[in-house]
Amino acid sequence: MTGKNKPTNVTIDRDQRVLIIQWNDGRECRYSFAGLRAVCPCVLCQGGHSNMGKPADKLLLAKAKNDELNIDAAAAVGSYAIQFAWSDGHDSGIYSWDYLYEACL
Ligand SMILES: [Zn+2]
């Protein structure tokens, strides 16, 4: 975690269920809601503390079926991460900007 990747713009498109991030190096990345949730970095979803801190599984991110699940709310966590409240009530995943940048497909 270097903290060097910062977004210049974050768009949550609830109709297409996609998160769009424009990065400070000019790159633009799109993440399906279902994919994001599939790689939720929280301890519960990762299956224990020993599994945390790994990069996102891009296969999981790409293949998740993008239906039904929505993002109810999103909030910045300091200057290094974003946290989502999912429509099924889950909200413990903290997605660092570095994690999301590295997960860009
Ligand atoms: Zn989770």
Side-chain angles (χ1 to χ4, degrees):
M1 295 295 170
T2 61
K4 67 178 164 59
N5 300 301
K6 299 289 181 206
T8 55
N9 197 45
V10 177
T11 304
I12 296 171
D13 184 334
R14 291 184 172 88
D15 293 323
Q16 302 205 41
R17 295 197 186 84
V18 64
L19 172 76
I20 305 159
I21 300 179
Q22 270 127 18
W23 299 98
N24 58 1
D25 64 358
R27 200 173 178 198
E28 180 178 293
C29 301
R30 301 170 72 89
Y31 310 85
S32 75
F33 286 2
L36 277 178
R37 176 55 182 275
V39 300
C40 176
C42 86
V43 64
L44 191 71
C45 295
Q46 292 299 311
H49 285 284
S50 59
N51 294 324
M52 292 183 73
K54 293 178 181 171
D57 182 336
K58 291 192 181 184
L59 198 62
L60 214 55
L61 189 63
K63 287 180 71 179
K65 194 162 173 282
N66 199 23
D67 59 0
E68 295 189 7
L69 194 67
N70 233 309
I71 290 175
D72 287 344
V77 180
S79 62
Y80 78 99
I82 187 167
Q83 187 166 13
F84 303 110
W86 299 97
S87 54
D88 64 357
H90 191 62
D91 66 355
S92 50
I94 293 172
Y95 296 71
S96 74
W97 298 124
D98 286 339
Y99 183 78
L100 289 170
Y101 187 91
E102 294 301 327
C104 186
L105 299 173

